[in-house]
Amino acid sequence: MSKLLLALGLLIALPALGSASPAWFAYESRPGFLFLYEGDRLIGQYDLASHVYRPLVNRVPQDPCEPPVPPPHAGRSLPDETTNYGVLSGQVIPGYRSGGVQAGDGVLNDGSNVRLTIFAPLDRGGQIQSEIAALPEFQAVASRLTVQVIPPDHWAARCGFQTSPAHPTIYIQNPDGRVLHRQDDWTGAPALFAALRRVRPDYQPTNDPDGRISSVDLMKLFANPIVLAGLGLLALIVLIPSRKVA
Amino acid sequence: MAGYFQAVPPQPVESGSFQEIFGAISLGGGIAPDGHTEVAADLPVSERFPNIGSRVDGAGMCVMTSIEMAARWQLLDPLRGLRDWCARQAGGGYPEKVERQLNSFQAERHTSYGFVQWVQPNDVAGLRAILASGRIACVTYAGHDSVHYRQSISHMVCCVAFTDSWVCILDNNYVGERELVWMAPSDFLPRWREGGGGWAFYWTAPPPPPPPFN
């Protein structure tokens, strides 16, 4: 028992080692200075005019030294004279709206779309994309699918995707990035759609439920023979008196 | 020296939002000072480029610089060179001019990418919806943040994050890896609206696919 208590007493609580990286902050009340924080601890200050960094110990400046993290304005002064970087404010008319697509048309509602990405040279990728677009099954789900062609050497392909210039690579992903399917060749749109259905069997837009209940729906409900039989059985259970055993 | 920092905001306390604790607009990378909020549009440094002046009159090209960076994010590679093409004309931008130049440039390039822009300082929901979809919103910005600017400015930047707690902007005057500007929405919105602003622009093309995981 004493050993058990000893073991229980040996609780090792390792402190979280999640110290934040140093970060620079600026305050409107102290223009001309940047302040360096490590987590919530103020560790230094940088004078933008003299380009001098002083570490702080108990908020007291120490002798100048190199900052542990270069300040963003090192060697540069804050722009002071030029105030217009290219917006002609006088010609920005409140209420203006333009564009080939009006906001609210659903353009911004594609965040929940499944992502289908074709990593291939643009001409080959375009052919594949055309084959996909021509398949009626894909057309039925087009509004919930985002299809893109990205060359294998594009910066967007270098974010963890396994691609090769030697062959097309097809990725199907959930909106959060989870990979549902990947293939390193092209075997036609029907095979790809079959893969999509296997990984997302719920992908059947014709089965999308309509949450609205109308009187017509209720009439149809009560015209259903199975529903009628069930209601009849329920009535029998309720109306037939139960026998009491003496 | 003990009172040297009396003007500095108070030391962090144990509770309260990050902005309450620090009360600051800060510089950083793709993750907010809270350590977990990420940008919605993580445009690589390789795809960022700085503002320039027009070759005709020297006026700033922040509008088309922002718009082309947004186009690069959303994989509209045929639009590369848009800003420099516009710089061969007089600088400075406003919505009608943007529409005119985009239509002309796209006609030359035989493209027809859709875009939407509006000047509506109260349409915060519309602005947030752009970022929620993973797209970049090009927005007016009045500066005076003591991070990049002491004074008020007329500028357009890329908004790359907009959550309940954080707004992050990619400023085409400062395109380094850790020169994104993080602030509270309450600090951003007045700077977006100031000086007749409230102008927002976005390309309708979808953003790139998210990084894969399994």
Side-chain angles (χ1 to χ4, degrees):
Chain A
M1 187 61 177
S2 59
K3 288 183 180 178
L4 178 61
L5 287 173
L6 182 61
L8 287 174
L10 289 175
L11 294 175
I12 303 172
L14 295 174
L17 299 177
S19 60
S21 302
W24 292 100
F25 292 84
Y27 298 93
E28 291 193 59
S29 59
R30 294 297 305 276
F33 286 90
L34 294 177
F35 297 94
L36 187 62
Y37 279 82
E38 195 167 55
D40 58 5
R41 190 168 62 93
L42 176 63
I43 64 172
Q45 69 169 31
Y46 186 82
D47 187 327
L48 290 166
S50 62
H51 307 295
V52 170
Y53 173 79
R54 293 178 183 270
L56 298 170
V57 177
N58 295 325
R59 306 175 76 187
V60 175
Q62 306 300 302
D63 290 336
C65 67
E66 284 299 308
V69 178
H73 296 292
R76 301 199 306 258
S77 56
L78 290 177
D80 211 12
E81 301 304 320
T82 306
T83 59
N84 191 319
Y85 295 103
V87 172
L88 303 182
S89 302
Q91 302 196 48
V92 178
I93 310 301
Y96 178 92
R97 178 179 286 275
S98 78
V101 176
Q102 292 296 316
D105 284 359
V107 169
L108 297 180
N109 295 335
D110 57 359
S112 60
N113 280 11
V114 169
R115 305 298 300 257
L116 194 163
T117 311
I118 305 158
F119 292 96
L122 289 177
D123 51 354
R124 180 70 179 118
Q127 290 173 354
I128 294 172
Q129 187 173 23
S130 297
E131 289 183 43
I132 291 171
L135 192 71
E137 289 89 333
F138 271 116
Q139 291 170 3
V141 300
S143 64
R144 293 169 58 185
L145 194 64
T146 296
V147 183
Q148 291 175 303
V149 175
I150 299 178
D153 59 349
H154 196 277
W155 63 262
R158 295 196 289 269
C159 300
F161 294 99
Q162 301 300 310
T163 66
S164 168
H167 54 73
T169 303
I170 316 292
Y171 273 82
I172 298 178
Q173 295 171 269
N174 267 343
D176 64 354
R178 177 175 296 277
V179 178
L180 302 175
H181 169 78
R182 173 186 141 205
Q183 62 187 71
D184 294 320
D185 54 11
W186 177 242
T187 54
L192 180 62
F193 188 79
L196 174 63
R197 290 304 311 282
R198 273 194 294 275
V199 296
R200 283 292 294 263
D202 60 315
Y203 220 74
Q204 186 68 277
T206 55
N207 289 346
D208 287 344
D210 185 341
R212 298 166 299 175
I213 299 176
S214 66
S215 58
V216 175
D217 293 328
L218 288 173
M219 290 296 291
K220 286 182 180 176
L221 179 67
F222 288 111
N224 189 307
I226 296 176
V227 172
L228 285 176
L231 287 173
L233 182 62
L234 183 62
L236 284 173
I237 293 171
V238 169
L239 295 174
I240 293 176
S242 59
R243 281 190 186 179
K244 291 183 181 179
V245 177
Chain B
M1 296 290 269
Y4 183 73
F5 285 105
Q6 283 183 355
V8 174
Q11 286 295 296
V13 296
E14 290 183 354
S15 61
S17 69
F18 186 90
Q19 285 83 13
E20 289 171 357
I21 292 173
F22 291 96
I25 296 174
S26 62
L27 293 164
I31 297 179
D34 63 6
H36 57 83
T37 303
E38 297 182 6
V39 291
D42 193 7
L43 184 68
V45 175
S46 62
E47 298 302 313
R48 306 176 191 176
F49 54 101
N51 191 11
I52 61 171
S54 158
R55 287 163 179 70
V56 173
D57 59 2
M61 300 296 300
C62 63
V63 173
M64 282 303 180
T65 304
S66 299
I67 288 175
E68 183 175 340
M69 281 204 282
R72 291 188 182 193
W73 169 248
Q74 286 160 236
L75 310 181
L76 303 180
D77 292 322
L79 299 183
R80 287 177 180 269
L82 166 67
R83 193 280 308 273
D84 289 345
W85 182 91
C86 294
R88 298 201 298 265
Q89 305 169 27
Y94 52 94
E96 288 91 342
K97 181 178 179 182
V98 164
E99 187 170 1
R100 192 169 61 244
Q101 288 184 315
L102 288 182
N103 290 338
S104 297
F105 183 77
Q106 294 214 69
E108 267 193 30
R109 293 287 177 96
H110 306 290
T111 60
S112 56
Y113 297 115
F115 58 89
V116 177
Q117 56 176 343
W118 72 82
V119 182
Q120 180 48 267
N122 294 324
D123 194 2
V124 181
L127 197 53
R128 292 194 63 168
I130 299 171
L131 276 302
S133 74
R135 292 170 172 83
I136 283 179
C138 302
V139 295
T140 43
Y141 184 67
H144 61 82
D145 52 23
S146 295
V147 177
H148 288 321
Y149 310 101
R150 291 194 186 95
Q151 73 285 13
S152 289
I153 59 175
S154 292
H155 196 24
M156 178 167 272
V157 298
C158 293
C159 181
V160 294
F162 199 142
T163 69
D164 290 338
S165 303
W166 294 103
V167 173
C168 182
I169 64 172
L170 165 57
D171 187 334
N172 47 78
N173 285 335
Y174 301 96
V175 296
E177 183 175 3
R178 293 193 61 81
E179 293 188 305
L180 298 180
V181 184
W182 289 92
M183 66 189 79
S186 56
D187 288 323
F188 166 75
L189 291 174
R191 290 170 170 84
W192 174 48
R193 294 163 171 158
E194 189 177 316
W199 179 15
F201 172 103
Y202 71 94
W203 294 101
T204 57
F213 70 94
N214 55 31

